[in-house]
Amino acid sequence: MTQTVYTNYWISRIGDVRKQHGSYKSEEEAIEGIKAWWELHKEKYPNAEHKRTNSGALEIIYHDENSFYRIEKRVIDGKLPSKSYSLRKPGEIESARSRLLLDKELCVFDELAEPFRDRLITAMGDSKKARSFIYDREGRPVKEIV
């Protein structure tokens, strides 16, 4: 089964960096994912400029011309990742904390307040991906769990 999705990329012209953030059912959801990421990082870009490229991609220039978000329409096989999750039990959380050697300032996804968890899933478009990071208490990703 194929379907059309809209994928967010953060692009920096400095160092030619391109990072995929998530894929969504609609371009509007992809834009909401970008806004959720900004919200988590306590960033505001009220003057962000939306530009449509000749290829049909939407670029969101938010600070300067060197870094921007690009939403590309593409066709994938299969389904989008799931956004639903269930919380781990307290013993599982403590086990994960111990295994990862986390101090008081860091936490796993399940320890975050619900608004942070919801914003992370909106920003990443994938509950599995959201679980694959260590976070600070404000819901900002610190390090990917390998």
Side-chain angles (χ1 to χ4, degrees):
M1 172 180 103
T2 63
Q3 69 174 314
T4 301
V5 299
Y6 297 83
T7 302
N8 284 349
Y9 298 93
W10 176 80
I11 299 172
S12 174
R13 289 188 173 107
I14 301 170
D16 198 28
V17 178
R18 178 180 167 106
K19 293 183 181 181
Q20 182 175 332
H21 272 241
S23 293
Y24 305 85
K25 290 179 184 179
S26 69
E27 193 172 70
E28 292 75 23
E29 280 186 31
I31 293 168
E32 286 306 309
I34 293 167
K35 290 178 180 178
W37 188 256
W38 291 343
E39 187 179 314
L40 283 164
H41 288 83
K42 297 185 181 357
E43 297 172 0
K44 293 182 181 178
Y45 300 102
N47 298 323
E49 188 178 343
H50 294 205
K51 289 184 180 178
R52 185 73 60 188
T53 67
N54 289 338
S55 66
L58 180 65
E59 292 184 349
I60 300 174
I61 293 85
Y62 61 96
H63 183 60
D64 60 32
E65 294 286 331
N66 290 322
S67 56
F68 56 94
Y69 286 89
R70 182 179 174 99
I71 302 171
E72 296 179 1
K73 181 178 177 180
R74 63 191 186 102
V75 176
I76 62 168
D77 286 324
K79 299 187 293 186
L80 283 170
S82 174
K83 293 182 183 179
S84 66
Y85 66 92
S86 56
L87 294 176
R88 295 179 189 165
K89 295 180 171 104
E92 293 172 313
I93 294 170
E94 284 308 312
S95 175
R97 287 188 62 76
S98 177
R99 180 175 41 84
L100 297 167
L101 304 171
L102 299 183
D103 62 20
K104 292 182 208 175
E105 301 304 314
L106 300 175
C107 55
V108 294
F109 177 82
D110 303 82
E111 294 177 290
L112 293 170
E114 186 175 3
F116 291 135
R117 293 192 308 260
D118 292 346
R119 298 312 289 159
L120 282 163
I121 289 176
T122 299
M124 295 180 185
D126 180 354
S127 62
K128 264 180 126 173
K129 186 175 180 180
R131 285 187 178 279
S132 70
F133 286 88
I134 295 170
Y135 298 93
D136 67 11
R137 294 287 171 184
E138 298 294 316
R140 294 177 296 241
V142 173
K143 180 180 175 187
E144 190 166 8
I145 300 170
V146 284

